[in-house]
Amino acid sequence: MEELIIKGAKRLQGEVTVNGAKNAAVAIIPAAILSDDICIIENLPYIDDVISLCNTLNDMGVKCEFIDKHTLKVDSRNIKNFCATYESVKKIRASYYLLGALLGRYKKAEVAFPGGCDFGIRPIDQHIKGFSALGADVVVEHGMIKASAKKLVGTSIYLDVVSVGATINIMLAAVLAEGTTVIENAAKEPHIVDTANFLNSMGANIKGAGTDVIRIVGVKKLSGTNYMIIPDQIEAGTYMMAGAITRGDVTVKNLIPKHMESLSAKLSEMGVKVEEGDDFIRVIASDPLKGVNVKTLPYPGFPTDLQPQMSALLSTAEGTSIITESVWENRFQYIDELKRLGADIKVEGRVAIIKGLRKLTGAQVSATDLRAGAGLVLAALAAEGKTTITNLKYIDRGYEFIEKKLSALGADVKRVKK
Ligand code: UD1
């Protein structure tokens, strides 16, 4: 068991470089098994979700081999089975992409219900609706989702909810299907575009990714490729807010400023100075910061995955702020932990009312999920005194060397064994 010990109230200053996008990585690694050949994926984050996914694929006979810490070779020429058991996928939510990829390539998939972060009911009915529309039989029994098809045939699929996972999964299943598939009301997140670009680099024919209508013309086979994934929007946003919450001066490098627009706009509204370059954003903050209202939405709206970090930041801003969580039903569980650091927050359903304070104070807290953990880290950086954060397994799912990156910015952060 490890914990992070943070001695807060230190102004962060300097540069931090963002890794490749977790949510792109966990889609693109399974997507690689759609190819008949070897795929090399570069700029992967070295995080637990990526490692767990590689272990799952290795169990299936796919050879996943790290050429270096951030470059993976995926060779699925000798895949042995099409089943990902509970034991192997329990840690990662995105194991559901194995369904679309296996179904697309082998017309057969068995994957245990996904694990990952728990913030409310996480249905996958839209994924299943998409697979069924393409001609697959899908049954859910004994905690396993089993999908099979004689052949998959393109069709038009309207998503009832804007779902990142369903959009990507249907794309994965449809690239090798006969004819044309059209996904309407598709999600538009950057990692959807990245996954489509990856598939196109293997010879797929996908148009419209990044808009709400994606058109996929099925091809007979996909070749190997060499692909570099995009920077992580959420990691970038977390470090931008680390700069803001410590009233620091932090330049976040290797990001795509366009992906950060909703956050940059909110930070500016709060009174933070946000300077954009081609591939970096510099955040300069000083007291006082103003409270603002934030509503999470699908991209290009404010990302739900930056909501806990924003709660932490708004806890240190003047006045009352309101956060409305409109993507997930139950994503305020971490608020009780934030309150231990002195935050004044009241939750009513999907709304959190935050009364800004001058100071947070250190305490012992526990990460309840990945981004909640990031929110606690930010709050701890701003808090007077010592904060101990436990349950690091969540934070390690999505942040590579968080303590090293923060230390390089001047934070007093140590990872210790309990
Ligand atoms: C992805 C991200 C996650 C992020 C979320 C929303 C990955 C690996 N994870 O999760 O970090 O918080 O997008 O940006 O990329 N829904 C249904 N039926 C479905 C699927 C989803 O009702 O079949 C609902 C969900 O309950 C939720 C909303 O749609 O309320 C959005 O979920 P979705 O976009 O699918 O999230 P994930 O892909 O699981």
Side-chain angles (χ1 to χ4, degrees):
M1 284 280 272
E2 291 182 325
E3 50 190 32
L4 279 185
I5 303 205
I6 301 181
K7 291 188 185 141
K10 292 202 164 48
R11 185 168 189 264
L12 298 195
Q13 213 165 352
E15 296 181 344
V16 59
T17 301
V18 168
N19 285 106
K22 163 189 164 286
N23 287 347
V26 296
I28 286 174
I29 295 169
I33 68 173
L34 284 158
S35 151
D36 279 348
D37 210 336
I38 292 168
C39 292
I40 309 279
I41 308 166
E42 294 173 50
N43 198 34
L44 281 171
Y46 193 70
I47 52 173
D48 285 356
D49 262 20
V50 164
I51 294 159
S52 303
L53 200 46
C54 290
N55 290 340
T56 299
L57 285 173
N58 284 334
D59 288 347
M60 292 163 56
V62 177
K63 259 170 77 186
C64 287
E65 197 186 315
F66 280 95
I67 297 172
D68 60 49
K69 212 180 275 168
H70 298 115
T71 309
L72 182 72
K73 182 173 161 192
V74 183
D75 179 353
S76 53
R77 288 175 298 184
N78 296 310
I79 193 161
K80 286 197 301 274
N81 67 68
F82 313 106
C83 177
T85 60
Y86 176 71
E87 212 30 60
S88 118
V89 305
K90 66 183 174 195
K91 282 199 249 155
I92 29 170
R93 172 77 191 157
S95 53
Y96 53 43
Y97 292 135
L98 292 169
L99 273 172
L102 287 168
L103 187 63
R105 171 92 191 272
Y106 303 100
K107 312 290 172 273
K108 207 165 140 191
E110 257 185 59
V111 178
F113 250 98
C117 284
D118 176 17
F119 28 80
I121 305 163
R122 299 187 71 164
I124 57 161
D125 55 297
Q126 298 302 304
H127 306 227
I128 293 176
K129 170 174 136 170
F131 298 150
S132 304
L134 291 168
D137 285 323
V138 187
V139 282
V140 180
E141 54 185 15
H142 312 299
M144 301 291 289
I145 307 151
K146 299 179 183 174
S148 60
K150 285 219 165 61
K151 64 175 182 177
L152 296 172
V153 181
T155 184
S156 201
I157 299 159
Y158 181 88
L159 296 181
D160 301 329
V161 288
V162 179
S163 160
V164 172
T167 302
I168 292 181
N169 235 342
I170 295 169
M171 257 173 17
L172 297 177
V175 276
L176 292 170
E178 270 181 38
T180 301
T181 300
V182 180
I183 309 174
E184 289 179 79
N185 199 26
K188 298 181 274 207
E189 267 65 7
H191 41 290
I192 292 174
V193 179
D194 208 34
T195 307
N197 287 341
F198 172 73
L199 291 166
N200 284 342
S201 78
M202 298 198 291
N205 183 348
I206 304 173
K207 294 203 171 79
T211 76
D212 50 17
V213 181
I214 301 180
R215 186 177 293 271
I216 304 146
V217 180
V219 294
K220 287 238 153 29
K221 66 184 261 181
L222 295 174
S223 58
T225 186
N226 204 321
Y227 190 81
M228 181 178 280
I229 69 169
I230 52 165
D232 196 303
Q233 175 204 24
I234 306 301
E235 192 197 15
T238 303
Y239 288 113
M240 284 167 67
M241 284 193 269
I245 203 167
T246 61
R247 308 302 188 257
D249 178 352
V250 170
T251 300
V252 185
K253 290 172 30 181
N254 185 37
L255 51 63
I256 298 176
K258 174 112 192 91
H259 295 168
M260 310 312 304
E261 274 173 355
S262 59
L263 174 62
S264 296
K266 277 295 152 194
L267 292 178
S268 301
E269 202 181 320
M270 292 178 73
V272 177
K273 206 167 152 206
V274 179
E275 292 174 3
E276 272 185 28
D278 285 347
D279 64 350
F280 68 86
I281 291 181
R282 181 176 175 192
V283 165
I284 307 163
S286 55
D287 270 323
L289 294 183
K290 265 199 322 257
V292 293
N293 296 337
V294 176
K295 184 174 185 181
T296 65
L297 287 166
Y299 188 82
F302 191 92
T304 172
D305 288 354
L306 288 176
Q307 182 256 98
Q309 299 89 316
M310 197 50 157
S311 296
L313 175 58
L314 289 174
S315 293
T316 69
E318 283 194 341
T320 300
S321 302
I322 295 178
I323 296 192
T324 308
E325 172 55 57
S326 72
V327 177
W328 294 110
E329 213 174 298
N330 188 10
R331 204 174 190 176
F332 285 129
Q333 288 147 318
Y334 68 91
I335 295 280
D336 283 341
E337 295 301 300
L338 210 48
K339 283 185 183 168
R340 287 178 200 271
L341 299 171
D344 182 349
I345 307 179
K346 208 165 105 196
V347 176
E348 286 172 8
R350 287 184 168 215
V351 172
I353 302 147
I354 304 174
K355 287 208 177 119
L357 299 161
R358 287 184 64 81
K359 282 276 170 266
L360 297 172
T361 45
Q364 164 109 30
V365 291
S366 171
T368 51
D369 68 58
L370 164 57
R371 306 302 172 185
L376 291 173
V377 169
L378 294 199
L381 290 171
E384 296 273 7
K386 181 174 121 177
T387 298
T388 305
I389 305 178
T390 57
N391 239 353
L392 300 188
K393 63 175 191 219
Y394 287 119
I395 298 174
D396 292 338
R397 282 192 42 217
Y399 291 89
E400 177 177 329
F401 302 136
I402 191 166
E403 68 277 18
K404 289 200 180 124
K405 290 190 181 187
L406 289 171
S407 299
L409 292 171
D412 186 341
V413 187
K414 283 191 185 63
R415 181 183 288 258
V416 294
K417 283 215 168 24
K418 239 175 49 178

